[in-house]
Amino acid sequence: MGICTNRSIIVTGAGGGLGRAYALALAAEGAGVLVNDIRREAAEAVVDEIKAAGGAAAPSSDDITTMAGAARIVETAVTAFGDAHGVVNNAGIVRDRMFATMSEEEWDLVIKVHLKGHFCIANTLVKRWREQIKAGAKVDGRIVNTSSGAGLQGNIGQGNYSAAKGGIASLTLVQAAELARYGITANALAPAARTRMTEGPFGEVMKKPGDGRFDHYAPENVAPLVVWLCSPLSAGVTGKVFEVEGGKLSIATGWHTGPVRDKKARWNPAELSDVVAGLIAESPKAQKVYGT
């Protein structure tokens, strides 16, 4: 008996990299896994791996960025496993470009795949779960989103990606606040691992060591947290953004209101230079934007 036995989990972008690692780990802990990837052959290959290891899985290549596609994905999971208990929103793309030269298409596509893709399936599932509650059922639902260090502190050349990932972190906070009363948790990951998206900019840094040492950037290192977040064991944890890299695990602390100056009246623009300088001096220094 694994910690996800009798649970059905949808994993998007599961045809390779992190998504594949999540799907395999979830199945190993007893979950029925809906392997979604726009590359049908890649999704089917992961399903074959899971079944060969004795697990339960079904493929899907439907579009995560439309409500119609999301409905088909959820229905496929329900047909295969009888229900859907959670989603790991993992699918993503990059279109790196400096902000001054970024095209509208490059902006729109990254925002669509990441932000709208996170919305569609989770929204479809939440509506299903609410109907189950209205019918008298108890729900123990899971939403696991994917943010990024780029979303938490920014990354040079990735204005579109950073904006999308920052939006996902904020969306997670709102989902957690609104959905707790239904028995639904929402958490996010900011993983550092070797994937198709990191092969270009970080290929040399993240390459697999050839001498038998711990593979720090292996996608499989992130999977245990995902499995735990999808399991009943994580029911009391929601609204968190977990940073995961190798064997390191932390929870991002996010924005907080800093030092305050209250004049008890309207400020004169000319006097704000000294006020702002004082507030900056007293505030914790932010982490540097990646690439600076």
Side-chain angles (χ1 to χ4, degrees), residues 141-187:
R142 297 290 182 272
I143 299 171
V144 180
N145 295 326
T146 304
S147 183
S148 167
L152 301 179
Q153 62 195 77
N155 195 9
I156 294 292
Q158 289 191 321
N160 47 7
Y161 183 77
S162 295
K165 291 303 192 182
I168 288 167
S170 295
L171 173 63
T172 302
L173 299 179
V174 176
Q175 288 174 328
E178 292 185 355
L179 303 177
R181 58 180 171 157
Y182 300 121
I184 302 166
T185 69
N187 294 284

Side-chain angles (χ1 to χ4, degrees), residues 5-261:
T5 295
N6 298 322
R7 290 178 73 75
S8 164
I9 307 295
I10 298 164
V11 184
T12 69
L18 284 166
R20 171 182 170 276
Y22 301 161
L24 292 172
L26 283 160
E29 286 291 338
V33 184
L34 194 284
V35 179
N36 170 261
D37 200 293
I38 57 171
R39 303 165 300 157
R40 180 76 184 189
E41 290 183 0
E44 290 176 343
V46 175
V47 169
D48 289 343
E49 280 190 83
I50 290 172
K51 289 184 175 180
S60 161
S61 56
D62 286 301
D63 186 358
I64 65 168
T65 69
T66 70
M67 294 303 289
R72 288 192 294 270
I73 292 167
V74 172
E75 187 56 39
T76 300
V78 172
T79 299
F81 309 114
D83 204 349
H85 302 101
V87 59
V88 182
N89 282 311
N90 168 73
I93 61 168
V94 290
R95 294 292 185 272
D96 293 355
R97 189 83 61 193
M98 298 299 282
F99 184 77
T101 56
M102 185 174 294
S103 70
E104 181 179 12
E105 181 184 7
E106 288 167 334
W107 176 271
D108 286 347
L109 186 59
V110 170
I111 296 297
K112 179 182 180 182
V113 172
H114 289 278
L115 264 179
K116 191 178 180 186
H118 272 59
F119 166 78
C120 290
I121 294 181
N123 182 263
T124 301
L125 278 173
V126 167
K127 288 175 179 175
R128 174 180 172 81
W129 289 332
R130 288 181 65 198
E131 290 303 312
Q132 289 177 333
I133 290 169
K134 289 178 182 179
K138 182 180 178 180
V139 166
D140 190 24
R142 297 290 182 272
I143 299 171
V144 180
N145 295 326
T146 304
S147 183
S148 167
L152 301 179
Q153 62 195 77
N155 195 9
I156 294 292
Q158 289 191 321
N160 47 7
Y161 183 77
S162 295
K165 291 303 192 182
I168 288 167
S170 295
L171 173 63
T172 302
L173 299 179
V174 176
Q175 288 174 328
E178 292 185 355
L179 303 177
R181 58 180 171 157
Y182 300 121
I184 302 166
T185 69
N187 294 284
L189 310 168
R194 189 173 53 251
T195 69
R196 286 191 305 149
M197 291 198 301
T198 61
E199 280 176 350
F202 306 111
E204 186 62 27
V205 174
M206 290 186 169
K207 70 179 182 180
K208 184 176 181 178
D211 56 5
R213 288 177 296 147
F214 174 56
D215 187 1
H216 186 82
Y217 290 106
E220 290 77 10
N221 298 335
V222 184
L225 175 64
V226 172
V227 174
W228 183 82
L229 286 172
C230 289
S231 79
L233 300 177
S234 65
V237 178
T238 194
K240 306 301 181 186
V241 179
F242 292 87
E243 295 185 86
V244 194
E245 177 188 325
K248 297 189 293 185
L249 176 65
S250 63
I251 296 176
T253 56
W255 292 98
H256 295 274
T257 302
V260 176
R261 297 286 190 279

